[in-house]
Amino acid sequence: MDSYIDLKNITTEELKNADLDRIDVTGSPPDMEPHRQYYFMAKCRQIVKSESERLGRPLYACSVCFGCQMNARDSEKLLGVLRSAGFRESDSEDADFVIYNTCTVRDNANQRVFGRLGVLNGYKKKNPYMKVALCGCMMQEDLVIKKLRRSYSFVDLIFGTHNLYKFAELLYRCYTEKGMIVDIWEDTDKIVEDLPVDRKFPFKSGVNIMFGCNNFCSYCIVPYVRGRERSRAPEEILREIKELAADGVKEVMLLGQNVNSYGKEPAGTGFLSFPELLREVEKVEGIERIRFMTSHPKDLSDELIEVMGQSKKICRHLHLPLQSGSTRILEKMNRRYTKESYLVLAEKIRRAIPDISLTTDIIVGFPGETREDADDTIDVIRKVQFDNAFTFVYSKRTGTPAAAMEQVPDGEVRENFDRILACVQETARERVKRFEGQVLPVLVEEINEQDNSLVTGRLTNNTVVHFPGDASLIGEIVDVKLVRCEGFYYIGEMGKDGNG
Ligand code: 5AD
Ligand code: SF4
C-alpha cells in the first residue's frame, strides 16, 4: 500500500496534485494554510465515504450562486472543495448538501434568498441528513444573521466573504458538531492561494486580482461586506494564469471591484500597476483573450487606454459604470467624476480604440434624483452610445450614507426608469448592429439553450452570437459571418463567406 502523506513535509505544489485519501489525518490539523484546508478535505472525504456506504449511494452537493462574477468565481472554489471532499455535483437543490453563495448589492437579491430558503426547508424535512449552508456578501450583514438565527434555525452553516478559504474546515465542523455554525469575520488581510477550484467552463476562467473596495460610493454596501481593498501579488496571478493556460483556458477575466486601482493596496508592496499587469498577462502563451471587470471611471489611466489599443489579446470591451449622468447626483454618490469628465473619457477611449464596445451600469432613483437629473443620464446615453447598459432601481442599503438621505417616491422612480430603459434599448440596438455583414472571430461557449442546433458564443467586444453548430465547437475560436442583428445579439453563419 502507498505510504501516507505527511502534511508537514509537502510543498503546496505537491499538495495540489496529491491523492487526498493518502493524507495522514491521524494527528491534529496543521496551522499552515492551505495545508490545513487539505487536511479537512481529507477528513471530510472519510465522512462522505462512510455516509454514502450507509446510504448505498453517492452524496450530492448543489451550489447556487447569486450576484456578480466575483461570486461566480468564489462558487467555483466552493465546488472545488465539495468535489475534493467526495461529493458529486447536482443541479437539484433536493441534494445532501446545498450551499447558497449570496449577494446583497440590492435588496431584491436578499429577498430571493429568503424566499428560496423556505423551499429548502421543505426538502430538508424529507431528507434528515441534508445540510444547508449560506455564505457570501449577505452574510456579512448583522441584521441578516439575526433574522436567520431567529426564523431559519434549520440552516446548518453560515460564513462570510473573508473566510471562504476555510470552507473545508467549516464543512467538517458542520458534519461533526450540533446546531447552527456561524463564522463571520469583520475583515481580513489574508489571501490564501492554491485551494482546489472546479471551473464551470474548461476554456475560460475568472482570475481574482484584488479583493474588496475602498471607494465608498454612498449607495453601495460592497465596501462594508467585502472589506478593504487588497491586491494579489502579480507573481501569484501570473502563475495561476499560466496554469490555466496549460489546462486549456483561452480566455481569462481579471476580477476586482475596481481593477484600475490594482497594485495600490496594500501600500509599499511594489506591485505592478494594472496596465503593467496586463502587459505581463498578454505574454502568457495559450491565453488568447483577456477581459477585466470592473473599471472605475475616476481611475482609468491613459496608460490603460494605450495598453488596450496596442494589445492583440485584450478584448474590445470596456465596462465603465456611469451610475448617473447628473454631476449633482454623481457628487452625492461620491463617484468623484462629473458628467463632462465621463464624456471626455468615453470620447478618448473611442478615439484610441474605435471598434471598442462600451457598456455601463446605471442607477435610477438615487435620493434627490429629479426628472432633470434623469434627463442628464439620458443625454450621456445618447452621446456615448453604449452597447449595453444595466439599469437598476436604486435600493436602500442599511448602513450606507445614502440610506439616511431623503428617498424618491416610487412612482417618480418608475417613470424615470422607463424613460432611461427605452433610451438604452433604442441606442444599443443601433450601436450593436454596426458589425452586421462582417466576419469576426467568436469564442464558442455552449449549445444554445432554446435551440440545440445552434451554438452560442461571444465576439471579443462581448456581444453574443448564435449560429448553427455542434458541441465539437465549444471552446474554439471560429470565424463567423454576422448575418443579422437582433437587438442585443447576432444570428450568424460559420466560415469566412458564411457558407460553413
Ligand atoms: N442600488 C441599486 N443599484 C446598486 N448598485 C450598487 N449598489 C446599488 C444600490 N444600492 C449597482 C451599481 C453597480 C452594480 C454592480 O450594482 O450600478 O455598478
Ligand atoms: Fe460599490 Fe463604488 Fe466600490 Fe463599485 S466602486 S463596489 S459601486 S463602492
Side-chain angles (χ1 to χ4, degrees):
M1 199 191 118
D2 285 337
S3 60
Y4 278 120
I5 298 169
D6 179 359
L7 283 172
K8 281 194 235 46
N9 295 315
I10 183 169
T11 65
T12 308
E13 218 39 56
E14 289 165 336
L15 190 55
K16 276 163 70 182
N17 301 312
D19 174 357
L20 290 172
D21 289 328
R22 286 181 47 223
I23 289 180
D24 180 5
V25 288
T26 48
S28 54
D31 289 332
M32 186 171 62
E33 297 290 4
H35 295 60
R36 186 177 173 88
Q37 298 313 312
Y38 281 87
Y39 170 95
F40 283 108
M41 279 176 241
K43 283 282 222 190
C44 287
R45 277 181 87 79
Q46 295 180 339
I47 295 171
V48 170
K49 200 166 163 214
S50 71
E51 189 82 339
S52 71
E53 271 165 13
R54 195 176 57 78
L55 294 168
R57 60 167 179 83
L59 289 198
Y60 289 94
C62 173
S63 161
V64 182
C65 182
F66 299 83
C68 65
Q69 313 269 4
M70 294 268 199
N71 265 20
R73 184 63 180 159
D74 284 348
S75 283
E76 292 184 345
K77 295 177 187 172
L78 296 172
L79 219 45
V81 169
L82 285 167
R83 216 185 267 276
S84 302
F87 286 94
R88 300 244 182 114
E89 190 188 346
S90 165
D91 287 337
S92 163
E93 291 177 41
D94 193 359
D96 300 296
F97 186 90
V98 179
I99 183 158
Y100 284 179
N101 189 9
T102 63
C103 168
T104 188
V105 77
R106 286 171 291 275
D107 187 53
N108 52 11
N110 291 37
Q111 294 317 322
R112 266 171 58 213
V113 167
F114 283 121
R116 285 173 73 154
L117 273 177
V119 180
L120 281 193
N121 195 14
Y123 291 143
K124 200 168 171 179
K125 282 186 182 136
K126 283 192 299 168
N127 176 2
Y129 300 104
M130 180 178 175
K131 302 271 185 205
V132 174
L134 300 171
C135 67
C137 294
M138 192 176 149
M139 300 305 125
Q140 293 293 139
E141 288 184 89
D142 293 344
L143 288 175
V144 168
I145 301 299
K146 280 202 185 88
K147 182 165 171 178
L148 288 169
R149 282 192 197 275
R150 200 174 51 232
S151 314
Y152 296 81
S153 57
F154 64 89
V155 174
D156 300 283
L157 169 63
I158 299 176
F159 58 101
T161 55
H162 303 300
N163 53 347
L164 185 123
Y165 76 89
K166 292 192 84 160
F167 177 46
E169 186 167 351
L170 293 165
L171 185 65
Y172 177 72
R173 284 182 57 195
C174 182
Y175 277 94
T176 51
E177 293 175 24
K178 283 202 168 52
M180 184 192 267
I181 294 167
V182 182
D183 191 9
I184 309 287
W185 297 1
E186 282 299 306
D187 208 344
T188 185
D189 51 9
K190 211 167 166 143
I191 297 176
V192 176
E193 304 282 351
D194 296 309
L195 286 165
V197 178
D198 203 350
R199 282 203 314 277
K200 187 169 169 204
F201 296 98
F203 53 88
K204 71 170 185 175
S205 180
V207 175
N208 296 109
I209 64 165
M210 58 201 298
F211 302 93
C213 181
N214 281 357
N215 285 310
F216 290 95
C217 300
S218 64
Y219 50 81
C220 188
I221 200 165
V222 168
Y224 306 90
V225 296
R226 286 256 172 197
R228 294 294 60 73
E229 190 175 298
R230 55 213 177 273
S231 296
R232 237 179 119 193
E235 311 83 72
E236 296 288 355
I237 296 169
L238 290 164
R239 187 166 62 91
E240 180 176 348
I241 295 176
K242 282 177 194 154
E243 283 173 12
L244 288 169
D247 199 30
V249 166
K250 291 185 178 154
E251 178 180 299
V252 285
M253 162 93 85
L254 310 182
L255 298 170
Q257 300 296 346
N258 178 14
V259 292
N260 295 330
S261 67
Y262 172 78
K264 292 187 185 145
E265 299 284 346
T269 50
F271 286 173
L272 305 175
S273 69
F274 185 55
E276 287 166 346
L277 178 70
L278 282 172
R279 282 195 214 271
E280 293 305 313
V281 178
E282 176 107 16
K283 291 181 197 154
V284 179
E285 228 169 287
I287 298 297
E288 296 182 43
R289 288 182 168 191
I290 304 167
R291 300 186 184 278
F292 52 85
M293 273 279 219
T294 291
S295 287
H296 195 305
K298 79 173 166 61
D299 296 318
L300 197 137
S301 65
D302 289 351
E303 194 190 348
L304 175 63
I305 300 175
E306 193 189 316
V307 171
M308 286 184 83
Q310 291 164 349
S311 169
K312 299 241 172 340
K313 296 184 177 176
I314 301 174
C315 290
R316 283 353 203 183
H317 174 218
L318 195 60
H319 185 68
L320 198 60
L322 167 68
Q323 313 301 5
S324 168
S326 154
T327 298
R328 196 179 72 84
I329 295 294
L330 285 170
E331 202 180 328
K332 290 189 14 165
M333 286 177 162
N334 191 29
R335 290 291 287 176
R336 286 168 280 173
Y337 55 86
T338 62
K339 174 184 180 182
E340 288 69 32
S341 68
Y342 188 96
L343 287 172
V344 168
L345 180 62
E347 177 60 31
K348 191 154 66 174
I349 297 165
R350 276 271 159 68
R351 224 176 314 119
I353 317 161
D355 57 348
I356 200 161
S357 103
L358 291 175
T359 58
T360 202
D361 291 340
I362 291 167
I363 297 177
V364 187
F366 181 84
E369 187 181 65
T370 62
R371 193 179 166 86
E372 288 68 39
D373 293 316
D375 286 342
D376 269 330
T377 302
I378 289 175
D379 190 38
V380 176
I381 297 168
R382 288 207 190 285
K383 288 192 168 119
V384 175
Q385 299 274 306
F386 295 107
D387 276 68
N388 203 353
F390 300 97
T391 310
F392 307 109
V393 169
Y394 166 74
S395 169
K396 181 171 160 177
R397 310 310 292 126
T398 310
T400 61
M405 300 177 192
E406 196 175 335
Q407 311 291 304
V408 182
D410 283 351
E412 266 173 55
V413 176
R414 201 71 240 169
E415 208 177 294
N416 285 334
F417 185 87
D418 291 345
R419 289 194 307 128
I420 289 173
L421 190 64
C423 177
V424 166
Q425 282 169 344
E426 185 196 321
T427 52
R429 202 173 270 275
E430 269 311 299
R431 178 87 196 145
V432 173
K433 79 169 185 213
R434 68 195 180 282
F435 299 110
E436 211 168 66
Q438 293 190 25
V439 176
L440 291 174
V442 171
L443 171 57
V444 182
E445 297 195 338
E446 57 198 357
I447 298 286
N448 185 294
E449 277 174 18
Q450 269 93 46
D451 177 350
N452 65 13
S453 70
L454 301 177
V455 288
T456 297
R458 282 172 199 273
L459 299 177
T460 133
N461 77 8
N462 213 34
T463 301
V464 169
V465 183
H466 306 291
F467 63 98
D470 58 42
S472 68
L473 294 172
I474 293 175
E476 299 297 318
I477 296 179
V478 292
D479 281 327
V480 176
K481 180 166 183 175
L482 306 175
V483 178
R484 201 171 68 245
C485 180
E486 302 265 359
F488 290 99
Y489 63 88
Y490 279 103
I491 298 294
E493 274 173 34
M494 205 162 100
K496 294 230 179 275
D497 54 6
N499 293 327

